[in-house]
Amino acid sequence: RQRCSGDSRGVRAQIVDDVVDGDEEDDFVEDTDAREIRRRALALGAVDAPLPTAVVQGRGPVQVEVMVGGRTLVFETGRVARQAGGSCIVRDGDTMVFSFACAAQEQEEGVDFLPLRVDYFEKFSAVGRTPGSYIKREGKPSDREILTSRLIDRPLRPMLRKGYYNEVQVLSYVYSYDGVHPSDWLAICSSSAAIHISGIPLEKAVAGVRVTQDSEGNFIVNPTNSQLEASRTDLIIAGTADAILMIEGSCDFLPEERVLDAIETAHDAIRKICAALDKLRELAGKPKWDGALRVISPKLMHDVAAVAGPALREAVQVLGKKNRESAVDMVKSRVFTELGPPAQALAVKSPEASESLLLLEMAWTATVSNEMRDIILSQDVRPDGRNCRMVRPITIEQGMLPCAHGSSLFTRGETQTLAVVTLGGENAAQRFEDVDEPNGSQRFYVQYSFPPFSVGEVGRVGAPGRREIGHGKLAERALKPILPDADIFPYVIRLESNVLESNGSSSMATVCGGYLAMANAGVPLKNTVAGVAMGLIFHSTGTFAILTDLMGMEDALGDMDFKIAGTRDGITALQMDIKLEGIDREVLRAALEQAREGRMEVLDKMEEALSSQLLALPKGVPRMESFTIPTNCIGEVIGPGGKTIKAVVENCGGDGVTAINIAQDGRVTIQSTDDDFLQKARSTILSLSTKVQSGVIYEGKVTNILPFGAYVEILPNKEGWLHISEVEIGRTDKMEDVVKVGSTIRVEVLEVGKGGEVKLSAKRVLMKDCGVIVGELVEGRITKVLPFGANILLPGGIEGWLHISEAGAGKIKEMSEVFGLGDILTVEILSVGKNIKLSRKSVTKGDSPPGAEETAMVQDGVVQVDPGNAAVVAEERGPS
């Protein structure tokens, strides 16, 4: 700026003020775009200044490809977000996930845990769509985004270097989604790649894959969405090249050994992806962070153990959660009094004293953990006195809430949940919107609630946190396979799990309580499902103990939390998190087998509690029916602006009594508190969806009368025209003499026009009632003889026409030569239209040879034909 002089130079100086923020040196160092650097150099007047090549970071874009599940995954870094600590794009088909990782340079004071934050976002623009909400921008994360964020977090957290407590943030975005290749497991891989190539100290590359089964039971790695929809097994498994770190998903009652096979299949694919991530780091990785770690010195661990002494072992084994915590706190108080920093130093907030106190806290936690582990491994005794295979005592109280549709109070040890079921119609379904479903809905959903009083604490109460959403979804996956089909049980099921007391395994208590509450509500479930949480205590020597029915202390200080739910036949859902650097197949097999034993014990208790319960809907549950109508009739049933369907609801008790939902596939669900209104609504909708067909007889209501006819409503909102000539047999002089507005009349549909016009006839119905049916033989009396035919009075006072061509099998020159007034004939009804056409050909067929003339005579009042005499013999014709 100092070199600029003159008017033109002044203009350049102004440009610099607009484009350069603060010090020029800083701008040049941080900018990695050579074109921008040249522009700024020109603005400063240093036209001849050389370009600073040192500001360009890395070697440009780097790609690594790997073949997994029959498809090529492409990992790329160096093209976007070059100022981030690490960035990676992973592509599968046309689905692209962008992940970015950054970390603070210094550790925060007073932090004894890893402050890792993972967020996953699905952009609607990835599928060319705008959010359907009023504000056209992505806002609060959906449940699917939150669940995927947890899937990314859980395998990465244990693989970050111990003692590294810098704040870490990982962000993953779906910027392109082809609707074929799922993005959630890709986000695990891309997030791991972003951290792996950054300076954040990740011990090993982590990868995730999805596994499902085809119709023949073969495992498919990383299935497409269509393959996933065709299967009822959906497992997402993450780990390193050496071991498994996380499992999440649902199974179609898979046996334990098949689950192990699925895990092994997934691990083979994980190894390939981890090798690709190692290659990516080799080509584009940054030096790892080498700052000081917050670790506990061996001396401090020795001092804490020495001061705690045998009192800690006794305190850890005190029965009762609150009693145990009080006993442990007493020992802790003595330890901190002897080994803690001086109170004066803490009062003045000395950094050294704060750090010393923090390390003492970490050493105390590790000492308590070591004591608990040693007792379990050496004595097979857990803090609450159980051995490793025991399930805590279970009590079940069914129907605790008299006004709820279904409820169950499930207590296992010091963990208790009140499960409540509400049954409703389609309007009670949970609506959602994501990149796959613009108008999605769930007919079954679980809402898990964990208030602070359940653990005797004071805390925030509000919207559910990530943990609550995750636990609810786990229970939902566990129970979904046993739900009845919608055709059998059309209700929407909302299940609440209100945790009232917690000492571990509240999510599995939700599974058990949820099943019991649905059974209490009369839901016809296909099978019984129970869940149990398993723990792991692992020693560096390789010895380990599997813990059945994990409790809170064992969860916090142990090495694994493995939740498994299922029936007696197999597993329906599972979730596993490991704090170690993974576990092998043998540990997994032992955990699954021991979990099966515990699950059988819990199932026995649940089935015993249900043995005296009758499966029936409670009185307070609205009755519901479901059926299907043709999709092309949906518009007629709903009516313009919903007028028709609103009228149906209003005629069936109104909104407070009856609710009707019609899906796009034609599925109709009716819910009502009154059985009569339910049946009325059902019959009305079926009538509305029925197409008017020619020849069908309806009982209709006269809606309007005109001089030459009347309109008759034969179906709801469907009218037909009844002409005056079709009202009755014989002549009708005046419509009002026969029908009135509001009166009912049986009519037959004569014709349905192209525009939907319906022509009706009441006369035809009367004729059929009298036996005048096409093809039938009837007797009639001649009332009038004409040269070319005769009128014949049929039963019921109906008159038909017998043409000379239909009078006999042979040729007749004139009707009067053969037939006379009052003759009784047997005739066939040929057709019924404006006139009834009759025929005697079938009656006389075979009586005379072709071409022969007939002789008609009357014997006992019946016309007889003599084919051998051409003369008319009619000496006597009686009035009959």
Side-chain angles (χ1 to χ4, degrees):
R1 291 195 185 102
Q2 293 174 354
R3 289 194 298 269
C4 295
S5 61
D7 294 338
S8 61
R9 290 285 190 178
V11 172
R12 287 189 175 179
Q14 182 63 47
I15 295 174
V16 171
D17 289 338
D18 290 339
V19 300
V20 181
D21 307 323
D23 184 47
E24 297 87 356
E25 287 286 328
D26 292 340
D27 285 327
F28 283 141
V29 170
E30 293 181 6
D31 199 332
T32 58
D33 193 325
R35 186 179 302 170
E36 177 67 10
I37 295 170
R38 178 183 293 275
R39 185 176 69 82
R40 295 187 179 194
L42 290 173
L44 289 171
V47 179
D48 299 328
L51 290 176
T53 56
V55 302
V56 180
Q57 302 289 330
R59 308 175 185 175
V62 175
Q63 286 189 355
V64 172
E65 297 182 356
V66 58
M67 181 71 72
V68 179
R71 299 196 307 273
T72 300
L73 302 183
V74 181
F75 293 88
E76 180 182 340
T77 187
R79 181 156 44 138
V80 300
R82 290 167 293 181
Q83 297 183 46
S87 67
C88 180
I89 305 172
V90 62
R91 180 167 184 163
D92 182 15
D94 285 336
T95 296
M96 299 176 69
V97 180
F98 294 60
S99 294
F100 315 98
C102 289
Q105 295 301 311
E106 301 293 336
Q107 293 187 359
E108 293 186 15
E109 294 184 6
V111 175
D112 61 350
F113 64 93
L114 174 63
L116 170 63
R117 174 76 184 191
V118 177
D119 290 288
Y120 166 89
F121 304 98
E122 294 177 341
K123 293 290 187 179
F124 284 96
S125 57
V127 291
R129 206 167 72 236
T130 299
S133 59
Y134 178 76
I135 299 176
K136 303 302 180 183
R137 181 172 184 167
E138 290 86 353
K140 173 181 172 288
S142 65
D143 285 359
R144 173 161 139 171
E145 290 172 320
I146 290 173
L147 293 169
T148 306
S149 298
R150 284 170 53 87
L151 289 177
I152 300 170
D153 182 301
R154 286 157 48 196
L156 290 177
R157 189 176 292 272
M159 292 311 300
L160 289 168
R161 189 172 299 165
K162 301 297 181 288
Y164 179 78
Y165 297 146
N166 297 34
E167 186 176 4
V168 178
Q169 184 178 43
V170 179
L171 300 175
S172 288
Y173 298 87
V174 180
Y175 283 138
S176 177
Y177 180 61
D178 58 12
V180 177
H181 305 95
S183 58
D184 45 7
W185 68 271
L186 285 175
I188 300 175
C189 298
S190 62
S191 298
S192 170
I195 294 180
H196 199 39
I197 63 176
S198 73
I200 301 169
L202 187 72
E203 297 290 356
K204 297 178 182 178
V206 175
V209 297
R210 171 178 261 117
V211 175
T212 187
Q213 288 188 109
D214 61 17
S215 58
E216 298 179 355
N218 302 313
F219 291 116
I220 304 173
V221 177
N222 297 336
T224 62
N225 282 332
S226 59
Q227 290 173 322
L228 193 59
E229 289 173 4
S231 174
R232 295 181 64 181
T233 298
D234 181 12
L235 296 175
I236 293 183
I237 301 169
T240 65
D242 302 319
I244 298 299
L245 292 167
M246 182 208 73
I247 304 171
E248 178 88 26
S250 56
C251 308
D252 187 15
F253 306 106
L254 277 186
E256 283 72 11
E257 198 62 33
R258 287 291 288 165
V259 172
L260 288 172
D261 293 340
I263 294 172
E264 190 61 40
T265 301
H267 201 193
D268 290 341
I270 288 171
R271 292 187 183 98
K272 296 179 182 179
I273 299 176
C274 287
L277 298 184
D278 288 336
K279 183 65 175 179
L280 187 68
R281 167 155 183 80
E282 178 184 335
L283 297 174
K286 297 178 182 179
K288 289 298 181 182
W289 187 82
D290 58 357
L293 301 174
R294 189 164 282 157
V295 295
I296 311 167
S297 67
K299 181 180 182 305
L300 181 58
M301 286 292 299
H302 177 270
D303 293 344
V304 171
V307 175
L312 179 58
R313 173 163 291 218
E314 295 176 3
V316 168
Q317 298 182 81
V318 171
L319 298 182
K321 177 183 176 182
K322 288 299 179 182
N323 294 335
R324 187 183 310 112
E325 289 176 352
S326 298
V328 171
D329 285 343
M330 289 178 64
V331 181
K332 178 181 179 182
S333 178
R334 188 173 76 247
V335 170
F336 276 59
T337 301
E338 292 192 26
L339 301 178
Q344 298 86 349
L346 292 174
V348 297
K349 297 182 179 180
S350 166
E352 293 78 9
S354 298
E355 183 69 14
S356 175
L357 182 63
L358 181 63
L359 291 173
L360 183 58
E361 284 279 4
M362 295 169 61
W364 170 253
T365 302
T367 301
V368 175
S369 175
N370 292 340
E371 196 67 46
M372 182 197 74
R373 289 162 173 270
D374 182 64
I375 296 172
I376 292 174
L377 289 173
S378 61
Q379 302 177 21
D380 191 23
V381 177
R382 297 159 70 176
D384 59 358
R386 291 179 291 154
N387 63 34
C388 292
R389 291 181 176 269
M390 286 183 65
V391 176
R392 290 173 288 179
I394 294 174
T395 59
I396 298 170
E397 183 178 346
Q398 290 291 88
M400 179 181 178
L401 306 178
C403 295
H405 292 169
S407 63
S408 178
L409 183 66
F410 180 85
T411 307
R412 179 163 51 192
E414 294 175 301
T415 296
Q416 183 182 74
T417 183
L418 177 61
V420 185
V421 165
T422 305
L423 305 177
E426 293 297 328
N427 57 348
Q430 177 65 61
R431 311 293 176 185
F432 65 90
E433 179 186 19
D434 56 33
V435 293
D436 278 318
E437 293 284 350
N439 296 296
S441 66
Q442 287 181 272
R443 301 189 67 258
F444 170 66
Y445 50 99
V446 179
Q447 296 173 335
Y448 171 96
S449 175
F450 192 90
F453 68 78
S454 64
V455 289
E457 296 178 357
V458 176
R460 179 190 68 87
V461 176
R466 291 188 174 196
R467 176 180 175 275
E468 291 174 298
I469 292 173
H471 279 18
K473 184 59 68 173
L474 173 62
E476 185 179 301
R477 283 195 296 264
L479 295 168
K480 192 173 181 180
I482 64 167
L483 295 178
D485 296 334
D487 294 337
I488 299 174
F489 193 77
Y491 290 90
V492 169
I493 305 172
R494 176 182 179 234
L495 171 60
E496 301 173 54
S497 175
N498 304 287
V499 178
L500 305 181
E501 188 178 351
S502 179
N503 187 16
S505 192
S506 60
S507 62
M508 294 297 95
T510 296
V511 173
C512 300
Y515 171 83
L516 293 166
M518 286 193 289
N520 183 246
V523 180
L525 300 167
K526 298 176 181 178
N527 210 328
T528 307
V529 167
V532 63
M534 309 300 294
L536 172 69
I537 301 297
F538 195 85
H539 195 270
S540 57
T541 59
T543 59
F544 63 90
I546 304 295
L547 311 178
T548 298
D549 188 16
L550 191 66
M551 71 175 200
M553 185 178 187
E554 297 162 343
D555 185 9
L557 304 178
D559 298 319
M560 179 182 74
D561 182 8
F562 196 177
K563 304 179 181 74
I564 305 168
T567 66
R568 295 187 183 276
D569 302 321
I571 295 171
T572 58
L574 66 165
Q575 182 186 89
M576 186 192 77
D577 293 302
I578 290 292
K579 300 176 186 177
L580 305 170
E581 293 184 5
I583 56 175
D584 58 23
R585 183 183 177 106
E586 293 309 312
V587 176
L588 283 172
R589 175 181 280 108
L592 287 169
E593 182 56 37
Q594 193 166 319
R596 186 178 184 280
E597 295 176 5
R599 192 169 73 248
M600 297 302 110
E601 183 176 342
V602 178
L603 285 170
D604 290 340
K605 292 286 186 181
M606 293 169 60
E607 290 173 353
E608 180 183 345
L610 293 175
S611 60
S612 60
Q613 178 173 320
L614 297 176
L615 184 63
L617 289 173
K619 292 181 180 179
V621 177
R623 296 309 184 253
M624 185 178 294
E625 282 198 20
S626 181
F627 54 92
T628 302
I629 63 174
T631 53
N632 57 357
C633 296
I634 294 176
E636 297 180 33
V637 174
I638 295 175
K643 179 180 178 181
T644 305
I645 198 67
K646 289 178 182 177
V648 175
V649 173
E650 197 62 33
N651 293 332
C652 297
D655 292 332
V657 177
T658 302
I660 301 173
N661 181 269
I662 303 176
Q664 293 182 353
D665 60 355
R667 184 180 182 81
V668 180
T669 305
I670 306 174
Q671 174 187 341
S672 181
T673 56
D674 186 283
D675 287 340
D676 293 337
F677 283 142
L678 178 67
Q679 295 305 321
K680 182 179 179 181
R682 185 180 191 276
S683 61
T684 302
I685 291 177
L686 287 175
S687 297
L688 287 168
S689 61
T690 302
K691 292 291 186 181
V692 177
Q693 296 180 353
S694 298
V696 178
I697 297 175
Y698 298 92
E699 185 168 333
K701 182 174 69 173
V702 178
T703 59
N704 189 19
I705 296 177
L706 298 175
F708 44 87
Y711 285 102
V712 180
E713 185 181 50
I714 55 176
L715 291 173
N717 293 332
K718 293 181 181 178
E719 292 184 339
W721 173 247
L722 177 63
H723 193 265
I724 192 171
S725 62
E726 296 290 340
V727 174
E728 57 184 346
I729 299 172
R731 179 180 177 83
T732 302
D733 295 324
K734 193 175 182 181
M735 288 295 297
E736 287 82 354
D737 294 339
V738 183
V739 294
K740 305 291 183 185
V741 173
S743 62
T744 59
I745 183 171
R746 294 174 67 237
V747 292
E748 179 181 336
V749 177
L750 291 178
E751 180 184 352
V752 180
K754 293 183 178 179
E757 306 88 357
V758 180
K759 294 182 180 180
L760 306 174
S761 173
K763 183 168 67 175
R764 284 208 185 184
V765 178
L766 295 173
M767 292 164 58
K768 288 184 178 180
D769 291 342
C770 297
V772 180
I773 302 172
V774 174
E776 294 289 328
L777 298 178
V778 296
E779 286 188 351
R781 179 168 59 86
I782 297 177
T783 59
K784 189 175 184 179
V785 179
L786 298 174
F788 47 85
N791 290 336
I792 299 179
L793 185 64
L794 303 174
I798 305 169
E799 199 168 68
W801 172 251
L802 177 64
H803 192 265
I804 192 171
S805 62
E806 296 289 338
K811 184 177 180 182
I812 299 176
K813 295 180 179 179
E814 188 173 339
M815 289 292 289
S816 59
E817 294 179 355
V818 181
F819 304 104
L821 192 66
D823 287 350
I824 302 300
L825 305 179
T826 299
V827 292
E828 178 188 358
I829 310 295
L830 278 185
S831 65
V832 178
K834 291 183 178 181
N835 298 311
I836 301 173
K837 295 181 179 180
L838 307 174
S839 174
R840 294 192 68 252
K841 284 186 175 181
S842 62
V843 179
T844 59
K845 187 176 181 181
D847 291 342
S848 60
E853 295 184 356
E854 298 178 333
T855 299
M857 68 183 75
V858 176
Q859 293 182 0
D860 298 328
V862 178
V863 177
Q864 300 292 331
V865 177
D866 181 6
N869 190 347
V872 175
V873 181
E875 296 293 339
E876 181 181 356
R877 291 190 175 97
S880 62

